[in-house]
Amino acid sequence: MIKKTFHGGYYFNCEDKPREKVIESVLPPMVVIPLKQGFGREVKPLVTVGDKVKAGQIIGRDDHGVSSPVHASINGNVERITKLKYSTGPINAVIITADSNPDWQPLAGNNRNWQLLSLEKIETLLYSSGATSLDSKGIPTRFKTSSNVGRDVSDLIIQGIEDRPYNLSLPALLAGERCTHFIEGIKILQKIMPRANIHLAINRNRREIKRELIQKTEDLKWLTFYSLPPRYPQGNDRVLAATILGKRDRKTVDAEGIAVLSVGTVLNVHDAVVEGKPVIETIIALCGPGWKENINIRVRVGTPIETITGIYLDQTNSNWMIIPNNPLTSGALADFSLPVDRTITSLTAVSKNIKVQRPWSLLSAISPLKGRGCSPNIYDEVKPCIFCGYCEEICPAGIIPHLIDKYARRNIISNELIRYGIFECVECNLCSYICPSKIPVARHIKLGQQRLIEYGFTEPEAGLKEDTVEKYCLGQEG
Amino acid sequence: MNKPEQNLNIKMQKETQVAYKPLLKSIGSFFVSPGDGTRLVPGLVDNLSTKRYMFLVVLALLPIALAAVYFYGWRIVAMILVSYFFGGMTEILFAVFRKKRFQADGLLVTCLIFPLILPPTLPLWIVAIGSVFAVFFGKEVFGGTGRNIFNPAVVGRVFITVSFPSYMTSVWQHPMPGGFGGFFNYGADLITSATPLISYRAGEIITYTYYDLIFGLAPGSMGETFRIGIILSGLFLIVTGVSNWRVPLAYLGSVVLFSSIGHYYFPNQVALPMFQLLTGGLLFGAFFMATDPITSPFTGPGKWVFGLLLGMLTVLFRSFSGSVEGVVFSILLMNAFTPLIDTIVLKIRFRPLGREGLSHNVP
């Protein structure tokens, strides 16, 4: 067991974390299946209005682009095909009305003795189950499912670090026989990525799970076990790769050949290959003060969020906002009719009513810097930077966010920005989170990067060409 | 979708449009969705706001203010109120003039620190003038809290020192310890005496013990004498993460270093390190004024350099200048050098883009 850590970061100290148990949710009367879920492109629908579909049936696929198939998650009829308004743009979705049959149709070719399956067979199973679209870069197979190529993966990192303010808890995921399933999943992944060093990084505070995993993986010589502190953003792909593989500069960490997968994805890999179960269910942690109970629920993919809120949300106060997944990298949902897709692992409900923090609430004021509470981002005013240095202190990339922010927001786009490491940013948004002046630092950094690329910046090494900078400066004056 | 949020969206849009007009047109709808939902990323933010940040400083200053009332009577409260009133009026007038919202965060601290570094017998009209000057020339002319170059309280204090030297050098009141102290008195009994630092410069024999100096039994500025309280409050700020430990440590350490060296060569001019630490406004300045994040360097090495030079200047001013106001003068001078120190540190820390390709040194 190897212990490592990184510079910077922040321990969240949120209450209202879900209990460590998974509860089966009711079957929804209707599901909305977006035709793009997770990594990859949108796929074309294979069904038309009125078709009868079975749970687990592939209703959309596109074998030519980087994508993965989409499944019906419930038995029923296709009602219509419509466009969903996501903040990133519209996505087509298939709406299915359900009958009350909870069965699902397994994938062809699965085998309990998966060691007997050929490599090609396993990759086909993974691809057709949809598991390859999970996590930020997907699982590499011989289909175009990831920016990596399976055979060339040199390092596979499996993370269960629980570094976010609210996480899907490991004990809930790995309860009972799921732990064995998880290890089977790792073995399957090892088979499809034969050249990879496999690293398993687990939250160091989960003693029992660590003990169990170490006990069960003793005979696996190719597996390295890491025990990492649950400090945000340790689970971020770039931070994790840099922590585990040693200090490397940005280019090597971003380069192809490193795959980062979460514990839940590995379980999906097991289910697809051993049980033939496509990704039609997902476990969601209901976090924050807004829910009647903080629990983990297992729901069908495509369940509209309003169905979940209808059952589990505390209705006495109607003013809740719901943030999907990591509250630091995503904002509140505007539309509760959007469905739960494969990628959603948690829904955080917080009250909109806290407008501005009262400065005299003494108890929270006295508590030290680490481990204060958090509140929804409804601050109405951005104040000037007071150089408190918190953003520099917590930045996992080792840059000075407020310095870059100063240049970027005044639109001073020059080589200075590159020199101060604007492209080192790992986009964890921790600087925006911690800023007492409520400056959207991370957004300004992102805008600065986009501005640099607009002005002809291509390689981190080269910087902007001198004449570009001069031309730009002249334009500024005029 | 309720109303305040809608306003918020519009405000955010305005705020960013000024800076990124062309870019925002293309991607504006991505960040600020038209119509509904706040969609601000991150969805959760930390509870700490500038208001609470400044309030922590006020909280740390309260015991010191209370001790000042104990030693010098209720007149201190009058001085603080006058300081808040006139400083606040200046801030409000400026906010109206510039059509911006009135922000009390910086004012809370400035107008409390300012009276605490004044002599207890100072007439209230001078406090009013100093407070207005501190807020106006120390802060508002630069654009408000966060944009000021000099520590506003120090600006006010130096202005008064220079403009009303007679009030600042001779009229020092002896503290009133014992029993309820100043809690039943309005103010001065006009038993005046010199501060230990002035006595030392005049070559008189110092009658105060270190005990007197630590517990505030020697005359001095109101907030500067109760030194044990200052140390505890300063440590409180460091523990809560509001002020950085580097500046006080570097400052006090360098005072000890330079006064030891100085005392060895010039025993008549330079006092011993312990005496330096426990007289004047050194502790108060080191824990509450030099640590002001806005006017001190933000880089770690810069903070060390800042503290080191502060200590050197303080010993020099105290020992060899005409006035004994070493702390405020050196803080004012070093504030002016803050941007330069930061620039030099950044030049060293981030190497220029080279052919080798590495654009940045990860520490």
Side-chain angles (χ1 to χ4, degrees):
Chain A
M1 189 167 67
I2 301 170
K3 289 177 181 175
K4 280 187 172 179
T5 186
F6 67 104
H7 171 84
Y10 186 85
Y11 285 104
F12 288 103
N13 184 22
C14 294
E15 289 169 10
D16 317 305
K17 285 184 179 164
R19 284 189 283 130
E20 292 162 3
K21 214 170 81 178
V22 181
I23 289 168
E24 294 284 337
S25 184
V26 292
L27 279 184
M30 176 202 74
V31 289
V32 183
I33 314 279
L35 291 170
K36 175 195 181 317
Q37 296 183 30
F39 187 82
R41 282 207 314 229
E42 191 177 326
V43 293
K44 291 187 197 79
L46 298 177
V47 288
T48 47
V49 176
D51 284 4
K52 203 166 168 54
V53 291
K54 284 182 176 169
Q57 180 187 336
I58 293 174
I59 57 168
R61 79 189 277 172
D62 174 7
D63 288 351
H64 303 292
V66 178
S67 66
S68 69
V70 169
H71 309 81
S73 61
I74 207 156
N75 298 309
N77 295 309
V78 175
E79 195 188 273
R80 59 197 159 93
I81 297 173
T82 175
K83 268 193 176 2
L84 292 182
K85 282 180 192 158
Y86 278 99
S87 57
T88 45
I91 290 172
N92 282 314
V94 177
I95 296 181
I96 302 169
T97 44
D99 50 32
S100 53
N101 181 5
D103 294 343
W104 47 270
Q105 169 190 336
L107 296 166
N110 71 81
N111 197 330
R112 291 228 165 254
N113 298 319
W114 59 268
Q115 284 90 346
L116 303 175
L117 294 172
S118 68
L119 201 59
E120 200 172 337
K121 218 43 200 198
I122 293 178
E123 292 189 1
T124 311
L125 273 172
L126 281 182
Y127 173 70
S128 52
S129 77
T132 50
S133 64
L134 297 170
D135 287 334
S136 59
K137 274 169 135 186
I139 304 175
T141 62
R142 63 192 61 204
F143 300 91
K144 290 173 187 165
T145 51
S146 168
S147 53
N148 285 324
V149 182
R151 302 224 146 250
D152 296 345
V153 169
S154 61
D155 293 281
L156 169 66
I157 303 171
I158 295 156
Q159 66 106 343
I161 295 174
E162 307 183 286
D163 59 326
R164 296 172 178 181
Y166 296 106
N167 301 280
L168 197 51
S169 61
L170 277 182
L173 273 175
L174 298 177
E177 60 176 357
R178 293 303 271 169
C179 195
T180 325
H181 291 176
F182 174 62
I183 291 159
E184 287 295 298
I186 300 178
K187 287 180 186 164
I188 294 167
L189 286 168
Q190 200 265 337
K191 191 169 178 183
I192 66 166
M193 298 177 214
R195 289 176 52 198
N197 303 313
I198 300 189
H199 312 272
L200 174 58
I202 296 291
N203 179 353
R204 73 170 177 201
N205 298 343
R206 300 283 188 193
R207 295 227 168 77
E208 281 162 34
I209 289 203
K210 260 169 34 184
R211 202 181 304 133
E212 196 178 347
L213 283 174
I214 290 172
Q215 205 181 358
K216 287 185 176 168
T217 55
E218 258 174 347
D219 52 330
L220 305 179
K221 291 284 173 274
W222 38 262
L223 186 81
T224 327
F225 198 93
Y226 295 84
S227 158
L228 303 181
R231 197 167 73 216
Y232 187 83
Q234 180 69 83
N236 181 300
D237 289 8
R238 280 166 71 172
V239 177
L240 192 60
T243 310
I244 285 183
L245 306 174
K247 267 175 196 164
R248 301 184 174 197
D249 60 82
R250 193 187 71 94
K251 223 181 161 192
T252 27
V253 172
D254 269 3
E256 297 184 358
I258 298 172
V260 181
L261 301 176
S262 68
V263 169
T265 308
V266 178
L267 286 169
N268 277 319
V269 166
H270 166 268
D271 291 353
V273 177
V274 177
E275 291 168 11
K277 186 179 187 181
V279 187
I280 57 165
E281 283 182 338
T282 172
I283 300 177
I284 295 176
L286 302 180
C287 323
W291 305 101
K292 283 178 198 157
E293 264 185 302
N294 292 114
I295 47 176
N296 300 300
I297 54 168
R298 192 197 303 277
V299 293
R300 293 291 166 102
V301 166
T303 309
I305 285 168
E306 53 194 6
T307 311
I308 297 173
T309 56
I311 305 171
Y312 298 102
L313 199 66
D314 184 0
Q315 304 292 349
T316 50
N317 177 353
S318 58
N319 216 357
W320 299 111
M321 62 183 217
I322 292 187
I323 308 165
N325 283 340
N326 185 356
L328 261 75
T329 49
S330 48
L333 283 172
D335 185 2
F336 286 3
S337 67
L338 292 176
V340 168
D341 66 13
R342 287 171 191 165
T343 58
I344 289 184
T345 58
S346 70
L347 291 172
T348 306
V350 282
S351 174
K352 284 181 196 171
N353 288 345
I354 312 161
K355 277 273 174 315
V356 178
Q357 285 294 318
R358 287 155 296 164
W360 42 82
S361 49
L362 278 177
L363 279 175
S364 54
I366 290 170
S367 69
L369 173 63
K370 307 289 178 199
R372 289 181 308 258
C374 42
S375 52
N377 190 0
I378 320 186
Y379 286 88
D380 55 345
E381 193 172 19
V382 175
K383 290 175 180 167
C385 177
I386 55 166
F387 304 98
C388 59
Y390 289 171
C391 53
E392 187 188 349
E393 196 180 312
I394 56 156
C395 182
I399 56 179
I400 306 179
H402 67 80
L403 184 69
I404 295 173
D405 172 84
K406 188 179 86 180
Y407 281 83
R409 77 153 120 190
R410 287 178 195 164
N411 226 343
I412 307 170
I413 306 297
S414 71
N415 279 334
E416 290 294 283
L417 274 177
I418 306 164
R419 201 163 73 87
Y420 293 144
I422 189 170
F423 286 97
E424 302 287 322
C425 176
V426 296
E427 293 173 32
C428 64
N429 280 8
L430 207 47
C431 42
S432 292
Y433 172 85
I434 198 107
C435 181
S437 298
K438 307 301 165 200
I439 302 170
V441 185
R443 192 201 300 168
H444 291 162
I445 293 177
K446 187 92 189 122
L447 285 172
Q449 289 179 349
Q450 284 169 351
R451 226 43 222 277
L452 273 169
I453 291 164
E454 250 176 60
Y455 279 92
F457 165 86
T458 46
E459 288 283 305
E461 290 78 15
L464 287 173
K465 278 183 188 157
E466 282 305 313
D467 57 332
T468 323
V469 177
E470 269 168 36
K471 216 185 291 167
Y472 181 62
C473 290
L474 285 174
Q476 274 298 86
E477 278 165 26
Chain B
M1 180 71 224
N2 50 11
K3 254 194 167 159
E5 277 174 32
Q6 225 156 13
N7 293 340
L8 168 61
N9 269 344
I10 295 160
K11 232 179 273 163
M12 290 300 296
Q13 220 160 0
K14 269 185 190 164
E15 192 263 332
T16 37
Q17 248 177 10
V18 179
Y20 306 106
K21 227 174 196 173
L23 189 64
L24 206 95
K25 270 179 189 163
S26 55
I27 51 166
S29 57
F30 183 84
F31 288 111
V32 187
S33 59
D36 47 0
T38 56
R39 301 273 183 87
L40 292 176
V41 176
L44 292 181
V45 291
D46 197 282
N47 269 347
L48 188 91
S49 62
T50 41
K51 240 179 224 155
R52 179 169 296 173
Y53 186 92
M54 298 298 185
F55 187 76
L56 273 173
V57 185
V58 173
L59 197 72
L61 284 169
L62 277 182
I64 298 169
L66 214 69
V69 174
Y70 176 76
F71 288 125
Y72 299 106
W74 287 102
R75 193 167 181 281
I76 274 59
V77 176
M79 284 169 79
I80 291 172
L81 289 179
V82 164
S83 165
Y84 267 124
F85 179 77
F86 283 92
M89 285 312 284
T90 317
E91 181 104 26
I92 288 170
L93 282 177
F94 238 84
V96 170
F97 177 68
R98 291 191 313 182
K99 298 192 176 68
K100 291 219 170 156
R101 205 183 296 181
F102 166 66
Q103 290 179 349
D105 340 1
L107 192 80
L108 278 175
V109 175
T110 301
C111 290
L112 185 55
I113 287 189
F114 176 67
L116 286 181
I117 52 175
L118 295 177
T121 52
L122 202 70
L124 293 180
W125 61 271
I126 298 187
V127 178
I129 290 175
S131 175
V132 169
F133 191 91
V135 174
F136 189 91
F137 285 101
K139 194 166 69 174
E140 293 303 335
V141 287
F142 297 106
T145 309
R147 302 198 173 92
N148 48 319
I149 297 170
F150 301 106
N151 188 325
V154 172
V155 170
R157 163 73 198 242
V158 168
F159 171 73
I160 289 184
T161 311
V162 174
S163 315
F164 309 100
S166 56
Y167 287 101
M168 297 298 287
T169 47
S170 57
V171 195
W172 296 92
Q173 186 194 347
H174 206 273
M176 300 179 276
F180 287 99
F183 286 137
F184 286 131
N185 287 302
Y186 173 69
D189 292 341
L190 283 176
I191 311 166
T192 57
S193 58
T195 67
L197 259 186
I198 296 174
S199 313
Y200 187 86
R201 284 306 300 276
E204 292 162 18
I205 300 152
I206 314 291
T207 52
Y208 302 107
T209 60
Y210 284 143
Y211 175 87
D212 293 340
L213 292 174
I214 287 174
F215 286 93
L217 305 179
S221 296
M222 314 179 325
E224 292 172 354
T225 52
F226 186 55
R227 296 196 168 78
I228 185 80
I230 293 169
I231 293 171
L232 291 177
S233 289
L235 290 178
F236 166 78
L237 283 188
I238 289 171
V239 168
T240 49
V242 171
S243 64
N244 196 298
W245 54 274
R246 288 186 183 89
V247 173
L249 187 66
Y251 191 1
L252 299 178
S254 112
V255 165
V256 170
L257 177 76
F258 286 108
S259 58
S260 314
I261 297 171
H263 188 76
Y264 183 76
Y265 290 106
F266 308 97
N268 292 328
Q269 277 95 12
V270 184
L272 277 168
M274 197 61 185
F275 184 78
Q276 297 273 15
L277 287 181
L278 295 179
T279 51
L282 181 61
L283 283 172
F284 192 83
F287 281 115
F288 289 99
M289 296 194 291
T291 49
D292 175 14
I294 300 163
T295 54
S296 64
F298 58 79
T299 50
K303 284 184 166 48
W304 285 109
V305 173
F306 182 75
L308 197 81
L309 291 175
L310 268 179
M312 195 181 81
L313 282 177
T314 303
V315 173
L316 278 179
F317 278 130
R318 278 187 172 179
S319 311
F320 303 106
S321 79
S323 126
V324 290
E325 305 285 336
V327 174
V328 281
F329 278 133
S330 49
I331 290 176
L332 194 72
L333 198 62
M334 285 312 296
N335 281 347
F337 281 104
T338 294
L340 182 68
I341 296 172
D342 272 338
T343 312
I344 292 171
V345 172
L346 290 176
K347 274 248 155 69
I348 297 168
R349 182 169 160 193
F350 297 98
R351 274 182 282 156
L353 300 172
R355 281 206 189 133
E356 299 81 33
L358 199 64
S359 61
H360 163 61
N361 310 337
V362 179

